[in-house]
Amino acid sequence: MSRICAVADVHGDVSSFYKVRERLETGNISNLIILGDYSSTIGELQENRDDIKSIVNIVGELANIYAVPGNCDAKDVLKVLRSFGISYHNSSVNMGDFTVFLYGGSNSTPFNTPWEVEEETIYSDLKALFTDSPDQGPVLLAVHAPPHDTACDVIPSGAHVGSVSIRRIIEEFRPEYVICS
């Protein structure tokens, strides 16, 4: 069985990737999924670039990196991820035993962050991934935003702020595994 490590919501704590590096080395893990929110400053492209460069320098030689944006990342973060060859937003990849569907950003939130996407777009993009990928095998859905009305999407006020589209996709297509930020 393939071993995959997933990390999310770095928020500028690049030094934590030394622990990730250690886990990759000791756990014989060759695939790393990063689910966004790279810098501590919301929407700052230069900080995104610097943090992503540091992450790639720390773990890039040990693992294949598959990265998507988070809702706090700058709108142009995909260009930065592409420049390092690790951009996998709205795409599918085979990782050994799994087909992995990756999707970044989030639905509209009360936080008014830069990488928010309309629910209709999230749904149509994810539906296309599920319906256009032949011979999937077990599916791992790796998304930044949590599905709506779960323990993962509750904010301190008690409100559920996750994506209704992601929840709908999970209910319709039943991926074997789901990870989110």
Side-chain angles (χ1 to χ4, degrees):
M1 171 141 313
S2 299
R3 296 178 58 89
I4 300 168
C5 178
V7 178
D9 296 287
V10 177
H11 291 292
D13 185 12
V14 174
S15 66
S16 65
F17 275 84
Y18 288 105
K19 290 180 184 174
V20 172
R21 179 184 174 90
E22 185 178 305
R23 182 69 179 131
L24 294 171
E25 290 173 329
T26 60
N28 194 28
I29 302 167
S30 59
N31 295 303
L32 174 63
I33 298 171
I34 307 175
L35 294 174
D37 285 353
Y38 300 95
S39 67
S40 59
T41 306
I42 293 177
E44 177 55 49
L45 186 61
Q46 185 58 49
E47 193 171 327
N48 279 169
R49 185 180 332 278
D50 295 343
D51 289 339
I52 292 166
K53 180 180 181 181
S54 296
I55 291 166
V56 169
N57 287 338
I58 294 168
V59 297
E61 71 208 33
L62 295 174
N64 302 309
I65 301 174
Y66 304 90
V68 300
N71 61 303
C72 293
D73 293 321
K75 268 302 204 185
D76 290 342
V77 74
L78 287 180
K79 292 177 187 174
V80 176
L81 295 173
R82 276 189 215 111
S83 73
F84 290 101
I86 61 173
S87 180
Y88 286 86
H89 170 67
N90 195 21
S91 66
S92 66
V93 294
N94 289 322
M95 289 186 203
D97 307 324
F98 299 99
T99 297
V100 182
F101 298 139
L102 298 112
Y103 199 85
S106 76
N107 53 296
S108 295
T109 71
F111 313 117
N112 193 30
T113 50
W115 242 97
E116 294 182 3
V117 181
E118 294 295 321
E119 288 283 6
E120 297 81 20
T121 302
I122 295 170
Y123 179 79
S124 64
D125 287 349
L126 287 173
K127 183 176 181 180
L129 287 176
F130 275 89
T131 56
D132 294 346
S133 295
D135 303 323
Q136 296 173 2
V139 171
L140 167 63
L141 176 61
V143 290
H144 179 77
H148 182 71
D149 203 18
T150 62
C152 299
D153 79 325
V154 180
I155 60 174
S157 70
H160 289 271
V161 298
S163 171
V164 295
S165 294
I166 291 173
R167 171 127 191 175
R168 183 175 167 197
I169 287 291
I170 292 167
E171 290 172 352
E172 285 180 25
F173 292 96
R174 306 296 230 190
E176 283 78 4
Y177 305 96
V178 178
I179 57 174
C180 64
S181 291

PDB file of all heavy atoms in Angstrom, residues 90-127:
ATOM      1  N   ASN A  90      -7.138  21.279  -8.723  1.00  0.00           N
ATOM      2  CA  ASN A  90      -8.143  20.819  -9.683  1.00  0.00           C
ATOM      3  C   ASN A  90      -7.554  19.790 -10.652  1.00  0.00           C
ATOM      4  O   ASN A  90      -7.710  19.893 -11.862  1.00  0.00           O
ATOM      5  CB  ASN A  90      -8.747  22.000 -10.448  1.00  0.00           C
ATOM      6  CG  ASN A  90     -10.018  21.624 -11.172  1.00  0.00           C
ATOM      7  OD1 ASN A  90     -10.670  20.646 -10.842  1.00  0.00           O
ATOM      8  ND2 ASN A  90     -10.373  22.408 -12.179  1.00  0.00           N
ATOM      9  N   SER A  91      -6.867  18.806 -10.087  1.00  0.00           N
ATOM     10  CA  SER A  91      -6.281  17.768 -10.928  1.00  0.00           C
ATOM     11  C   SER A  91      -6.321  16.420 -10.223  1.00  0.00           C
ATOM     12  O   SER A  91      -6.630  16.323  -9.036  1.00  0.00           O
ATOM     13  CB  SER A  91      -4.843  18.139 -11.300  1.00  0.00           C
ATOM     14  OG  SER A  91      -4.026  18.153 -10.156  1.00  0.00           O
ATOM     15  N   SER A  92      -6.000  15.391 -10.999  1.00  0.00           N
ATOM     16  CA  SER A  92      -5.914  14.044 -10.424  1.00  0.00           C
ATOM     17  C   SER A  92      -4.543  13.473 -10.719  1.00  0.00           C
ATOM     18  O   SER A  92      -3.936  13.785 -11.742  1.00  0.00           O
ATOM     19  CB  SER A  92      -7.004  13.142 -11.001  1.00  0.00           C
ATOM     20  OG  SER A  92      -6.810  12.924 -12.371  1.00  0.00           O
ATOM     21  N   VAL A  93      -4.053  12.661  -9.795  1.00  0.00           N
ATOM     22  CA  VAL A  93      -2.772  11.980  -9.966  1.00  0.00           C
ATOM     23  C   VAL A  93      -2.891  10.569  -9.407  1.00  0.00           C
ATOM     24  O   VAL A  93      -3.691  10.310  -8.514  1.00  0.00           O
ATOM     25  CB  VAL A  93      -1.602  12.720  -9.257  1.00  0.00           C
ATOM     26  CG1 VAL A  93      -1.343  14.063  -9.886  1.00  0.00           C
ATOM     27  CG2 VAL A  93      -1.853  12.862  -7.776  1.00  0.00           C
ATOM     28  N   ASN A  94      -2.098   9.686  -9.946  1.00  0.00           N
ATOM     29  CA  ASN A  94      -2.007   8.339  -9.384  1.00  0.00           C
ATOM     30  C   ASN A  94      -0.846   8.312  -8.416  1.00  0.00           C
ATOM     31  O   ASN A  94       0.250   8.756  -8.745  1.00  0.00           O
ATOM     32  CB  ASN A  94      -1.793   7.308 -10.485  1.00  0.00           C
ATOM     33  CG  ASN A  94      -3.034   7.125 -11.327  1.00  0.00           C
ATOM     34  OD1 ASN A  94      -4.144   7.144 -10.805  1.00  0.00           O
ATOM     35  ND2 ASN A  94      -2.866   6.977 -12.622  1.00  0.00           N
ATOM     36  N   MET A  95      -1.111   7.828  -7.228  1.00  0.00           N
ATOM     37  CA  MET A  95      -0.075   7.658  -6.212  1.00  0.00           C
ATOM     38  C   MET A  95      -0.110   6.206  -5.777  1.00  0.00           C
ATOM     39  O   MET A  95      -0.788   5.846  -4.817  1.00  0.00           O
ATOM     40  CB  MET A  95      -0.317   8.579  -5.007  1.00  0.00           C
ATOM     41  CG  MET A  95      -0.079  10.023  -5.274  1.00  0.00           C
ATOM     42  SD  MET A  95      -0.211  10.980  -3.741  1.00  0.00           S
ATOM     43  CE  MET A  95      -0.577  12.582  -4.404  1.00  0.00           C
ATOM     44  N   GLY A  96       0.607   5.395  -6.520  1.00  0.00           N
ATOM     45  CA  GLY A  96       0.637   3.971  -6.188  1.00  0.00           C
ATOM     46  C   GLY A  96      -0.740   3.368  -6.299  1.00  0.00           C
ATOM     47  O   GLY A  96      -1.312   3.293  -7.382  1.00  0.00           O
ATOM     48  N   ASP A  97      -1.295   2.956  -5.189  1.00  0.00           N
ATOM     49  CA  ASP A  97      -2.581   2.279  -5.147  1.00  0.00           C
ATOM     50  C   ASP A  97      -3.773   3.212  -5.311  1.00  0.00           C
ATOM     51  O   ASP A  97      -4.889   2.754  -5.491  1.00  0.00           O
ATOM     52  CB  ASP A  97      -2.743   1.549  -3.812  1.00  0.00           C
ATOM     53  CG  ASP A  97      -1.586   0.626  -3.515  1.00  0.00           C
ATOM     54  OD1 ASP A  97      -1.063   0.027  -4.473  1.00  0.00           O
ATOM     55  OD2 ASP A  97      -1.187   0.515  -2.342  1.00  0.00           O
ATOM     56  N   PHE A  98      -3.562   4.514  -5.172  1.00  0.00           N
ATOM     57  CA  PHE A  98      -4.646   5.488  -5.125  1.00  0.00           C
ATOM     58  C   PHE A  98      -4.713   6.367  -6.361  1.00  0.00           C
ATOM     59  O   PHE A  98      -3.697   6.686  -6.963  1.00  0.00           O
ATOM     60  CB  PHE A  98      -4.458   6.453  -3.941  1.00  0.00           C
ATOM     61  CG  PHE A  98      -4.450   5.794  -2.605  1.00  0.00           C
ATOM     62  CD1 PHE A  98      -3.244   5.511  -1.976  1.00  0.00           C
ATOM     63  CD2 PHE A  98      -5.635   5.482  -1.960  1.00  0.00           C
ATOM     64  CE1 PHE A  98      -3.227   4.922  -0.729  1.00  0.00           C
ATOM     65  CE2 PHE A  98      -5.619   4.886  -0.717  1.00  0.00           C
ATOM     66  CZ  PHE A  98      -4.414   4.595  -0.097  1.00  0.00           C
ATOM     67  N   THR A  99      -5.922   6.811  -6.667  1.00  0.00           N
ATOM     68  CA  THR A  99      -6.122   7.966  -7.519  1.00  0.00           C
ATOM     69  C   THR A  99      -6.455   9.099  -6.562  1.00  0.00           C
ATOM     70  O   THR A  99      -7.356   8.962  -5.722  1.00  0.00           O
ATOM     71  CB  THR A  99      -7.274   7.770  -8.513  1.00  0.00           C
ATOM     72  OG1 THR A  99      -6.933   6.685  -9.381  1.00  0.00           O
ATOM     73  CG2 THR A  99      -7.502   9.019  -9.334  1.00  0.00           C
ATOM     74  N   VAL A 100      -5.725  10.186  -6.655  1.00  0.00           N
ATOM     75  CA  VAL A 100      -5.921  11.311  -5.746  1.00  0.00           C
ATOM     76  C   VAL A 100      -6.470  12.485  -6.536  1.00  0.00           C
ATOM     77  O   VAL A 100      -5.897  12.889  -7.545  1.00  0.00           O
ATOM     78  CB  VAL A 100      -4.598  11.709  -5.046  1.00  0.00           C
ATOM     79  CG1 VAL A 100      -4.827  12.854  -4.074  1.00  0.00           C
ATOM     80  CG2 VAL A 100      -4.001  10.506  -4.311  1.00  0.00           C
ATOM     81  N   PHE A 101      -7.595  13.023  -6.069  1.00  0.00           N
ATOM     82  CA  PHE A 101      -8.172  14.240  -6.627  1.00  0.00           C
ATOM     83  C   PHE A 101      -7.829  15.370  -5.679  1.00  0.00           C
ATOM     84  O   PHE A 101      -8.134  15.298  -4.483  1.00  0.00           O
ATOM     85  CB  PHE A 101      -9.681  14.120  -6.784  1.00  0.00           C
ATOM     86  CG  PHE A 101     -10.118  13.036  -7.729  1.00  0.00           C
ATOM     87  CD1 PHE A 101     -11.197  12.236  -7.429  1.00  0.00           C
ATOM     88  CD2 PHE A 101      -9.450  12.809  -8.924  1.00  0.00           C
ATOM     89  CE1 PHE A 101     -11.620  11.240  -8.298  1.00  0.00           C
ATOM     90  CE2 PHE A 101      -9.856  11.817  -9.801  1.00  0.00           C
ATOM     91  CZ  PHE A 101     -10.941  11.030  -9.487  1.00  0.00           C
ATOM     92  N   LEU A 102      -7.194  16.417  -6.213  1.00  0.00           N
ATOM     93  CA  LEU A 102      -6.735  17.537  -5.385  1.00  0.00           C
ATOM     94  C   LEU A 102      -7.463  18.817  -5.771  1.00  0.00           C
ATOM     95  O   LEU A 102      -7.597  19.122  -6.965  1.00  0.00           O
ATOM     96  CB  LEU A 102      -5.230  17.732  -5.565  1.00  0.00           C
ATOM     97  CG  LEU A 102      -4.388  16.541  -5.139  1.00  0.00           C
ATOM     98  CD1 LEU A 102      -3.724  15.899  -6.335  1.00  0.00           C
ATOM     99  CD2 LEU A 102      -3.354  16.969  -4.135  1.00  0.00           C
ATOM    100  N   TYR A 103      -7.896  19.567  -4.753  1.00  0.00           N
ATOM    101  CA  TYR A 103      -8.621  20.804  -5.005  1.00  0.00           C
ATOM    102  C   TYR A 103      -8.351  21.780  -3.864  1.00  0.00           C
ATOM    103  O   TYR A 103      -8.503  21.438  -2.696  1.00  0.00           O
ATOM    104  CB  TYR A 103     -10.122  20.534  -5.117  1.00  0.00           C
ATOM    105  CG  TYR A 103     -10.869  21.636  -5.820  1.00  0.00           C
ATOM    106  CD1 TYR A 103     -10.953  21.654  -7.205  1.00  0.00           C
ATOM    107  CD2 TYR A 103     -11.473  22.656  -5.110  1.00  0.00           C
ATOM    108  CE1 TYR A 103     -11.628  22.666  -7.871  1.00  0.00           C
ATOM    109  CE2 TYR A 103     -12.151  23.671  -5.755  1.00  0.00           C
ATOM    110  CZ  TYR A 103     -12.228  23.677  -7.140  1.00  0.00           C
ATOM    111  OH  TYR A 103     -12.888  24.680  -7.789  1.00  0.00           O
ATOM    112  N   GLY A 104      -7.955  22.986  -4.229  1.00  0.00           N
ATOM    113  CA  GLY A 104      -7.605  23.986  -3.225  1.00  0.00           C
ATOM    114  C   GLY A 104      -8.624  25.085  -3.081  1.00  0.00           C
ATOM    115  O   GLY A 104      -9.681  25.083  -3.709  1.00  0.00           O
ATOM    116  N   GLY A 105      -8.277  26.061  -2.251  1.00  0.00           N
ATOM    117  CA  GLY A 105      -9.171  27.176  -1.982  1.00  0.00           C
ATOM    118  C   GLY A 105     -10.329  26.731  -1.117  1.00  0.00           C
ATOM    119  O   GLY A 105     -10.332  25.642  -0.550  1.00  0.00           O
ATOM    120  N   SER A 106     -11.307  27.605  -0.996  1.00  0.00           N
ATOM    121  CA  SER A 106     -12.491  27.253  -0.211  1.00  0.00           C
ATOM    122  C   SER A 106     -13.720  27.933  -0.784  1.00  0.00           C
ATOM    123  O   SER A 106     -13.625  28.803  -1.649  1.00  0.00           O
ATOM    124  CB  SER A 106     -12.323  27.667   1.253  1.00  0.00           C
ATOM    125  OG  SER A 106     -12.485  29.073   1.408  1.00  0.00           O
ATOM    126  N   ASN A 107     -14.840  27.523  -0.286  1.00  0.00           N
ATOM    127  CA  ASN A 107     -16.094  28.201  -0.562  1.00  0.00           C
ATOM    128  C   ASN A 107     -16.061  29.571   0.138  1.00  0.00           C
ATOM    129  O   ASN A 107     -15.139  29.862   0.894  1.00  0.00           O
ATOM    130  CB  ASN A 107     -17.253  27.353  -0.035  1.00  0.00           C
ATOM    131  CG  ASN A 107     -17.051  26.986   1.427  1.00  0.00           C
ATOM    132  OD1 ASN A 107     -16.088  26.268   1.754  1.00  0.00           O
ATOM    133  ND2 ASN A 107     -17.908  27.457   2.305  1.00  0.00           N
ATOM    134  N   SER A 108     -17.069  30.392  -0.102  1.00  0.00           N
ATOM    135  CA  SER A 108     -17.148  31.678   0.599  1.00  0.00           C
ATOM    136  C   SER A 108     -17.235  31.433   2.099  1.00  0.00           C
ATOM    137  O   SER A 108     -17.935  30.521   2.542  1.00  0.00           O
ATOM    138  CB  SER A 108     -18.378  32.462   0.142  1.00  0.00           C
ATOM    139  OG  SER A 108     -18.257  32.806  -1.216  1.00  0.00           O
ATOM    140  N   THR A 109     -16.489  32.241   2.839  1.00  0.00           N
ATOM    141  CA  THR A 109     -16.448  32.105   4.295  1.00  0.00           C
ATOM    142  C   THR A 109     -16.727  33.455   4.946  1.00  0.00           C
ATOM    143  O   THR A 109     -16.668  34.499   4.282  1.00  0.00           O
ATOM    144  CB  THR A 109     -15.060  31.614   4.762  1.00  0.00           C
ATOM    145  OG1 THR A 109     -14.119  32.684   4.575  1.00  0.00           O
ATOM    146  CG2 THR A 109     -14.617  30.377   4.023  1.00  0.00           C
ATOM    147  N   PRO A 110     -16.953  33.469   6.244  1.00  0.00           N
ATOM    148  CA  PRO A 110     -17.118  34.749   6.941  1.00  0.00           C
ATOM    149  C   PRO A 110     -15.807  35.532   7.044  1.00  0.00           C
ATOM    150  O   PRO A 110     -15.790  36.670   7.484  1.00  0.00           O
ATOM    151  CB  PRO A 110     -17.601  34.352   8.338  1.00  0.00           C
ATOM    152  CG  PRO A 110     -17.815  32.900   8.337  1.00  0.00           C
ATOM    153  CD  PRO A 110     -17.222  32.331   7.103  1.00  0.00           C
ATOM    154  N   PHE A 111     -14.700  34.912   6.611  1.00  0.00           N
ATOM    155  CA  PHE A 111     -13.376  35.521   6.784  1.00  0.00           C
ATOM    156  C   PHE A 111     -12.940  36.375   5.594  1.00  0.00           C
ATOM    157  O   PHE A 111     -11.934  37.059   5.663  1.00  0.00           O
ATOM    158  CB  PHE A 111     -12.341  34.427   7.063  1.00  0.00           C
ATOM    159  CG  PHE A 111     -12.789  33.442   8.097  1.00  0.00           C
ATOM    160  CD1 PHE A 111     -12.953  32.108   7.768  1.00  0.00           C
ATOM    161  CD2 PHE A 111     -13.086  33.853   9.391  1.00  0.00           C
ATOM    162  CE1 PHE A 111     -13.391  31.193   8.716  1.00  0.00           C
ATOM    163  CE2 PHE A 111     -13.524  32.947  10.342  1.00  0.00           C
ATOM    164  CZ  PHE A 111     -13.678  31.615  10.004  1.00  0.00           C
ATOM    165  N   ASN A 112     -13.686  36.288   4.466  1.00  0.00           N
ATOM    166  CA  ASN A 112     -13.373  37.078   3.280  1.00  0.00           C
ATOM    167  C   ASN A 112     -11.903  36.944   2.877  1.00  0.00           C
ATOM    168  O   ASN A 112     -11.182  37.920   2.761  1.00  0.00           O
ATOM    169  CB  ASN A 112     -13.742  38.550   3.504  1.00  0.00           C
ATOM    170  CG  ASN A 112     -13.741  39.329   2.208  1.00  0.00           C
ATOM    171  OD1 ASN A 112     -14.012  38.786   1.142  1.00  0.00           O
ATOM    172  ND2 ASN A 112     -13.407  40.594   2.287  1.00  0.00           N
ATOM    173  N   THR A 113     -11.473  35.713   2.658  1.00  0.00           N
ATOM    174  CA  THR A 113     -10.086  35.429   2.294  1.00  0.00           C
ATOM    175  C   THR A 113      -9.916  35.428   0.775  1.00  0.00           C
ATOM    176  O   THR A 113     -10.902  35.322   0.039  1.00  0.00           O
ATOM    177  CB  THR A 113      -9.644  34.086   2.906  1.00  0.00           C
ATOM    178  OG1 THR A 113     -10.628  33.084   2.597  1.00  0.00           O
ATOM    179  CG2 THR A 113      -9.500  34.202   4.426  1.00  0.00           C
ATOM    180  N   PRO A 114      -8.670  35.544   0.288  1.00  0.00           N
ATOM    181  CA  PRO A 114      -8.437  35.729  -1.148  1.00  0.00           C
ATOM    182  C   PRO A 114      -8.827  34.558  -2.051  1.00  0.00           C
ATOM    183  O   PRO A 114      -9.242  34.767  -3.189  1.00  0.00           O
ATOM    184  CB  PRO A 114      -6.930  35.966  -1.252  1.00  0.00           C
ATOM    185  CG  PRO A 114      -6.461  36.277   0.103  1.00  0.00           C
ATOM    186  CD  PRO A 114      -7.448  35.704   1.063  1.00  0.00           C
ATOM    187  N   TRP A 115      -8.668  33.319  -1.594  1.00  0.00           N
ATOM    188  CA  TRP A 115      -8.882  32.165  -2.476  1.00  0.00           C
ATOM    189  C   TRP A 115     -10.217  31.495  -2.180  1.00  0.00           C
ATOM    190  O   TRP A 115     -10.269  30.321  -1.807  1.00  0.00           O
ATOM    191  CB  TRP A 115      -7.743  31.163  -2.310  1.00  0.00           C
ATOM    192  CG  TRP A 115      -6.970  30.978  -3.578  1.00  0.00           C
ATOM    193  CD1 TRP A 115      -5.808  31.597  -3.909  1.00  0.00           C
ATOM    194  CD2 TRP A 115      -7.299  30.148  -4.682  1.00  0.00           C
ATOM    195  NE1 TRP A 115      -5.394  31.193  -5.155  1.00  0.00           N
ATOM    196  CE2 TRP A 115      -6.288  30.301  -5.656  1.00  0.00           C
ATOM    197  CE3 TRP A 115      -8.342  29.291  -4.960  1.00  0.00           C
ATOM    198  CZ2 TRP A 115      -6.298  29.629  -6.865  1.00  0.00           C
ATOM    199  CZ3 TRP A 115      -8.356  28.612  -6.166  1.00  0.00           C
ATOM    200  CH2 TRP A 115      -7.336  28.794  -7.098  1.00  0.00           C
ATOM    201  N   GLU A 116     -11.299  32.249  -2.323  1.00  0.00           N
ATOM    202  CA  GLU A 116     -12.630  31.695  -2.154  1.00  0.00           C
ATOM    203  C   GLU A 116     -13.265  31.504  -3.524  1.00  0.00           C
ATOM    204  O   GLU A 116     -13.089  32.329  -4.415  1.00  0.00           O
ATOM    205  CB  GLU A 116     -13.476  32.595  -1.254  1.00  0.00           C
ATOM    206  CG  GLU A 116     -12.931  32.629   0.175  1.00  0.00           C
ATOM    207  CD  GLU A 116     -13.747  33.464   1.138  1.00  0.00           C
ATOM    208  OE1 GLU A 116     -14.804  34.010   0.743  1.00  0.00           O
ATOM    209  OE2 GLU A 116     -13.325  33.573   2.303  1.00  0.00           O
ATOM    210  N   VAL A 117     -13.976  30.399  -3.689  1.00  0.00           N
ATOM    211  CA  VAL A 117     -14.537  29.988  -4.974  1.00  0.00           C
ATOM    212  C   VAL A 117     -16.040  29.770  -4.779  1.00  0.00           C
ATOM    213  O   VAL A 117     -16.472  29.288  -3.727  1.00  0.00           O
ATOM    214  CB  VAL A 117     -13.863  28.669  -5.450  1.00  0.00           C
ATOM    215  CG1 VAL A 117     -14.400  28.209  -6.781  1.00  0.00           C
ATOM    216  CG2 VAL A 117     -12.347  28.821  -5.489  1.00  0.00           C
ATOM    217  N   GLU A 118     -16.809  30.094  -5.786  1.00  0.00           N
ATOM    218  CA  GLU A 118     -18.256  29.868  -5.722  1.00  0.00           C
ATOM    219  C   GLU A 118     -18.547  28.365  -5.590  1.00  0.00           C
ATOM    220  O   GLU A 118     -17.872  27.541  -6.208  1.00  0.00           O
ATOM    221  CB  GLU A 118     -18.945  30.412  -6.975  1.00  0.00           C
ATOM    222  CG  GLU A 118     -18.858  31.917  -7.100  1.00  0.00           C
ATOM    223  CD  GLU A 118     -19.600  32.638  -5.991  1.00  0.00           C
ATOM    224  OE1 GLU A 118     -20.698  32.184  -5.596  1.00  0.00           O
ATOM    225  OE2 GLU A 118     -19.072  33.658  -5.502  1.00  0.00           O
ATOM    226  N   GLU A 119     -19.552  28.031  -4.817  1.00  0.00           N
ATOM    227  CA  GLU A 119     -19.931  26.628  -4.603  1.00  0.00           C
ATOM    228  C   GLU A 119     -20.211  25.914  -5.924  1.00  0.00           C
ATOM    229  O   GLU A 119     -19.817  24.760  -6.098  1.00  0.00           O
ATOM    230  CB  GLU A 119     -21.155  26.520  -3.690  1.00  0.00           C
ATOM    231  CG  GLU A 119     -20.879  26.840  -2.241  1.00  0.00           C
ATOM    232  CD  GLU A 119     -20.186  25.734  -1.464  1.00  0.00           C
ATOM    233  OE1 GLU A 119     -19.782  24.703  -2.037  1.00  0.00           O
ATOM    234  OE2 GLU A 119     -20.047  25.908  -0.247  1.00  0.00           O
ATOM    235  N   GLU A 120     -20.860  26.588  -6.865  1.00  0.00           N
ATOM    236  CA  GLU A 120     -21.182  25.965  -8.152  1.00  0.00           C
ATOM    237  C   GLU A 120     -19.907  25.555  -8.894  1.00  0.00           C
ATOM    238  O   GLU A 120     -19.862  24.504  -9.535  1.00  0.00           O
ATOM    239  CB  GLU A 120     -22.008  26.913  -9.031  1.00  0.00           C
ATOM    240  CG  GLU A 120     -23.365  27.269  -8.458  1.00  0.00           C
ATOM    241  CD  GLU A 120     -23.308  28.384  -7.401  1.00  0.00           C
ATOM    242  OE1 GLU A 120     -22.331  29.159  -7.351  1.00  0.00           O
ATOM    243  OE2 GLU A 120     -24.243  28.446  -6.579  1.00  0.00           O
ATOM    244  N   THR A 121     -18.875  26.388  -8.797  1.00  0.00           N
ATOM    245  CA  THR A 121     -17.602  26.084  -9.458  1.00  0.00           C
ATOM    246  C   THR A 121     -16.922  24.903  -8.783  1.00  0.00           C
ATOM    247  O   THR A 121     -16.408  24.003  -9.463  1.00  0.00           O
ATOM    248  CB  THR A 121     -16.676  27.324  -9.438  1.00  0.00           C
ATOM    249  OG1 THR A 121     -17.346  28.401 -10.094  1.00  0.00           O
ATOM    250  CG2 THR A 121     -15.347  27.036 -10.114  1.00  0.00           C
ATOM    251  N   ILE A 122     -16.916  24.898  -7.465  1.00  0.00           N
ATOM    252  CA  ILE A 122     -16.327  23.767  -6.729  1.00  0.00           C
ATOM    253  C   ILE A 122     -17.008  22.473  -7.151  1.00  0.00           C
ATOM    254  O   ILE A 122     -16.347  21.477  -7.481  1.00  0.00           O
ATOM    255  CB  ILE A 122     -16.435  23.971  -5.200  1.00  0.00           C
ATOM    256  CG1 ILE A 122     -15.595  25.166  -4.752  1.00  0.00           C
ATOM    257  CG2 ILE A 122     -16.019  22.701  -4.454  1.00  0.00           C
ATOM    258  CD1 ILE A 122     -15.828  25.589  -3.305  1.00  0.00           C
ATOM    259  N   TYR A 123     -18.334  22.484  -7.162  1.00  0.00           N
ATOM    260  CA  TYR A 123     -19.066  21.273  -7.512  1.00  0.00           C
ATOM    261  C   TYR A 123     -18.754  20.822  -8.936  1.00  0.00           C
ATOM    262  O   TYR A 123     -18.437  19.646  -9.169  1.00  0.00           O
ATOM    263  CB  TYR A 123     -20.579  21.473  -7.335  1.00  0.00           C
ATOM    264  CG  TYR A 123     -21.344  20.232  -7.718  1.00  0.00           C
ATOM    265  CD1 TYR A 123     -21.413  19.154  -6.835  1.00  0.00           C
ATOM    266  CD2 TYR A 123     -21.948  20.110  -8.956  1.00  0.00           C
ATOM    267  CE1 TYR A 123     -22.072  17.989  -7.185  1.00  0.00           C
ATOM    268  CE2 TYR A 123     -22.617  18.955  -9.317  1.00  0.00           C
ATOM    269  CZ  TYR A 123     -22.670  17.898  -8.425  1.00  0.00           C
ATOM    270  OH  TYR A 123     -23.318  16.738  -8.791  1.00  0.00           O
ATOM    271  N   SER A 124     -18.831  21.735  -9.903  1.00  0.00           N
ATOM    272  CA  SER A 124     -18.611  21.319 -11.296  1.00  0.00           C
ATOM    273  C   SER A 124     -17.179  20.868 -11.534  1.00  0.00           C
ATOM    274  O   SER A 124     -16.947  19.900 -12.268  1.00  0.00           O
ATOM    275  CB  SER A 124     -19.016  22.426 -12.274  1.00  0.00           C
ATOM    276  OG  SER A 124     -18.204  23.564 -12.119  1.00  0.00           O
ATOM    277  N   ASP A 125     -16.206  21.540 -10.910  1.00  0.00           N
ATOM    278  CA  ASP A 125     -14.809  21.117 -11.054  1.00  0.00           C
ATOM    279  C   ASP A 125     -14.584  19.722 -10.476  1.00  0.00           C
ATOM    280  O   ASP A 125     -13.962  18.861 -11.115  1.00  0.00           O
ATOM    281  CB  ASP A 125     -13.868  22.100 -10.362  1.00  0.00           C
ATOM    282  CG  ASP A 125     -13.705  23.426 -11.086  1.00  0.00           C
ATOM    283  OD1 ASP A 125     -14.142  23.547 -12.248  1.00  0.00           O
ATOM    284  OD2 ASP A 125     -13.137  24.361 -10.471  1.00  0.00           O
ATOM    285  N   LEU A 126     -15.076  19.489  -9.268  1.00  0.00           N
ATOM    286  CA  LEU A 126     -14.869  18.177  -8.639  1.00  0.00           C
ATOM    287  C   LEU A 126     -15.654  17.080  -9.363  1.00  0.00           C
ATOM    288  O   LEU A 126     -15.146  15.965  -9.538  1.00  0.00           O
ATOM    289  CB  LEU A 126     -15.252  18.224  -7.160  1.00  0.00           C
ATOM    290  CG  LEU A 126     -14.276  18.976  -6.258  1.00  0.00           C
ATOM    291  CD1 LEU A 126     -14.834  19.114  -4.843  1.00  0.00           C
ATOM    292  CD2 LEU A 126     -12.919  18.284  -6.226  1.00  0.00           C
ATOM    293  N   LYS A 127     -16.855  17.384  -9.787  1.00  0.00           N
ATOM    294  CA  LYS A 127     -17.641  16.388 -10.531  1.00  0.00           C
ATOM    295  C   LYS A 127     -16.891  15.975 -11.796  1.00  0.00           C
ATOM    296  O   LYS A 127     -16.842  14.784 -12.134  1.00  0.00           O
ATOM    297  CB  LYS A 127     -19.016  16.939 -10.885  1.00  0.00           C
ATOM    298  CG  LYS A 127     -19.885  15.926 -11.583  1.00  0.00           C
ATOM    299  CD  LYS A 127     -21.281  16.447 -11.842  1.00  0.00           C
ATOM    300  CE  LYS A 127     -22.102  15.366 -12.537  1.00  0.00           C
ATOM    301  NZ  LYS A 127     -23.463  15.826 -12.805  1.00  0.00           N
TER     302      LYS A 127
END
